[in-house]
Amino acid sequence: DQQVKQNSPSLSVQEGRISILNCDYTNSMFDYFLWYKKYPAEGPTFLISISSIKDKNEDGRFTVFLNKSAKHLSLHIVPSQPGDSAVYFCAAYTSNDYKLSFGAGTTVTVRA
Amino acid sequence: DTGVSQDPRHKITKRGQNVTFRCDPISEHNRLYWYRQTLGQGPEFLTYFQNEAQLEKSRLLSDRFSAERPKGSFSTLEIQRTEQGDSAMYLCASTPNTIPLEQYFGPGTRLTVT
């Protein structure tokens, strides 16, 4: 059973514009939500996270929003840069084991 | 510290052969995780260790799979009698026990079973 879903397999955005990536989850016991970025032939790299007790976390160009009632989170990248072109994974875990449940990923392409 | 390392980076094997992968976590990280990623999917949890103790195994981990973490440092993942369905990227991640907020991933081992 897939507890974390990313329904958009790809996203194309113009350089300098905003990228919005969406993620839905089904497990209400998740305590933390994370976004990972992955380049080809590399392992996922941690990007930003948010605790379930918060609704927003910001780090430079990256902001994550959490809507617990809708079981939905999103990642905003502003402004988008060519180096942001990668696969982005949404992930979540509960505090009893910290094992990550991942979405299928969204491939972001930033056009110059 | 150079991060999580995995060896080999690529492995091609024939169906029925045994393979073993190694993961060296960031030093002093207590927890070590193994994930498997197939094309078009996100990583899926396989198993994890706290120090040398294996605390959980996924249902994805059939009895052909075994993982160890002797002395609580590096870990090995062995697949016996490989099948074509085992072809995937095998990822290792580690995290300190006190700050479990993020897992640090290695570059992965790409397994191809022919």
Side-chain angles (χ1 to χ4, degrees):
Chain A
D1 62 333
Q2 190 152 12
Q3 301 183 76
V4 179
K5 296 181 181 179
Q6 294 175 258
N7 293 318
S8 298
S10 63
L11 173 69
S12 181
V13 64
Q14 189 93 31
E15 181 179 2
R17 307 294 286 266
I18 184 171
S19 294
I20 300 177
L21 291 79
N22 294 302
C23 177
D24 297 294
Y25 63 95
T26 56
N27 187 348
S28 58
M29 301 300 292
F30 285 139
D31 294 302
Y32 275 99
F33 303 88
L34 306 89
W35 286 93
Y36 280 82
K37 178 179 180 180
K38 187 179 184 304
Y39 293 116
E42 294 184 12
T45 303
F46 171 75
L47 197 57
I48 191 169
S49 65
I50 187 167
S51 163
S52 61
I53 62 173
K54 297 187 175 181
D55 55 17
K56 178 182 175 181
N57 188 28
E58 193 171 353
D59 184 1
R61 297 186 297 114
F62 303 92
T63 303
V64 56
F65 296 92
L66 175 63
N67 183 335
K68 283 191 69 177
S69 60
K71 293 191 175 67
H72 177 85
L73 67 156
S74 62
L75 173 68
H76 292 207
I77 307 173
V78 182
S80 299
Q81 299 175 352
D84 296 332
S85 295
V87 179
Y88 289 78
F89 291 100
C90 173
Y93 69 75
T94 62
S95 294
N96 60 334
D97 55 27
Y98 307 113
K99 62 183 183 186
L100 290 169
S101 295
F102 283 88
T106 297
T107 300
V108 172
T109 303
V110 180
R111 309 185 309 273
Chain B
D1 197 341
T2 56
V4 179
S5 62
Q6 292 187 245
D7 183 70
R9 295 290 305 275
H10 304 275
K11 179 71 177 178
I12 300 174
T13 190
K14 292 185 177 180
R15 186 166 53 93
Q17 298 294 305
N18 299 343
V19 295
T20 300
F21 310 140
R22 176 180 171 124
C23 170
D24 287 89
I26 294 172
S27 57
E28 299 182 355
H29 274 193
N30 304 91
R31 290 182 181 239
L32 186 150
Y33 296 77
W34 284 99
Y35 294 86
R36 180 172 68 187
Q37 185 180 14
T38 54
L39 198 62
Q41 300 297 318
E44 295 175 292
F45 169 79
L46 293 179
T47 187
Y48 85 101
F49 295 82
Q50 179 158 333
N51 300 312
E52 66 275 10
Q54 188 174 18
L55 297 187
E56 187 173 342
K57 292 173 61 173
S58 163
R59 290 169 297 182
L60 294 174
L61 222 59
S62 74
D63 55 7
R64 297 184 297 105
F65 288 72
S66 62
E68 294 183 343
R69 193 183 182 196
K71 304 178 183 177
S73 55
F74 71 91
S75 175
T76 58
L77 178 67
E78 181 184 15
I79 309 175
Q80 296 182 331
R81 305 181 303 280
T82 52
E83 302 173 354
Q84 287 188 322
D86 297 331
S87 296
M89 174 75 82
Y90 290 84
L91 293 161
C92 174
S94 70
T95 184
N97 203 36
T98 52
I99 308 174
L101 191 59
E102 58 191 80
Q103 294 183 14
Y104 297 84
F105 281 83
T109 294
R110 167 76 64 189
L111 173 67
T112 302
V113 181
T114 61

